[in-house]
Amino acid sequence: MKRALIAILISGTLFTSCVSTKVSRKNNFDYSVLKADKNYIIETGDGNKIRAFKYLNQDDLSLFGSIEGKEISIEKNQIKRILKPSTGKTLGLVVGIIGAAVVIPAYAGNRPVGQ
């Protein structure tokens, strides 16, 4: 039971942490990499995170999208960086960690036959 709880906590952490940076100072805030109707996480300069922002389009000053069906706009000068959740990477990591948590203790506890 203890192992299952640890596995659940690790997988929960991984589901919230696997992201890739799409827009930041490193790429000179190149917003052309954003794709319409995709979800992003937007970090603002004041430290807030806007999760599940569905990007729709942009103009010179703002990004337009929706959160839970409500359309919103965010000024580009307030954006620190934009992240994209990487579900495929997260799923692979979770499967790998859970597999290792099950397999490694099973092999470590085995003893050679006859001893």
Side-chain angles (χ1 to χ4, degrees):
M1 182 68 180
K2 187 177 179 181
R3 289 183 188 163
L5 182 60
I6 292 171
I8 290 170
L9 290 174
I10 290 172
S11 63
T13 302
L14 289 173
F15 275 118
T16 59
S17 64
C18 291
V19 295
S20 59
T21 302
K22 293 296 180 184
V23 176
S24 69
R25 181 177 296 157
K26 289 183 181 180
N27 72 348
N28 293 322
F29 295 99
D30 179 14
Y31 295 97
S32 67
V33 299
L34 301 178
K35 296 180 182 175
D37 295 324
K38 298 290 182 182
N39 287 330
Y40 295 96
I41 300 168
I42 297 179
E43 290 185 11
T44 59
D46 59 2
N48 290 329
K49 286 188 179 183
I50 302 169
R51 298 188 180 275
F53 177 81
K54 187 174 185 179
Y55 172 74
L56 299 174
N57 58 23
Q58 63 179 309
D59 64 14
D60 292 338
L61 301 175
S62 300
L63 294 181
F64 302 99
S66 64
I67 298 175
E68 298 176 1
K70 295 180 183 178
E71 290 195 18
I72 64 167
S73 66
I74 301 171
E75 292 182 22
K76 289 181 179 179
N77 63 3
Q78 294 181 0
I79 295 173
K80 181 178 177 183
R81 65 183 179 161
I82 299 177
L83 308 167
K84 175 138 179 52
S86 301
T87 308
K89 292 178 188 177
T90 302
L91 199 55
L93 283 172
V94 169
V95 169
I97 288 176
I98 291 174
V102 170
V103 171
I104 291 172
Y107 281 109
N110 285 341
R111 294 193 176 99
V113 177
Q115 291 186 359

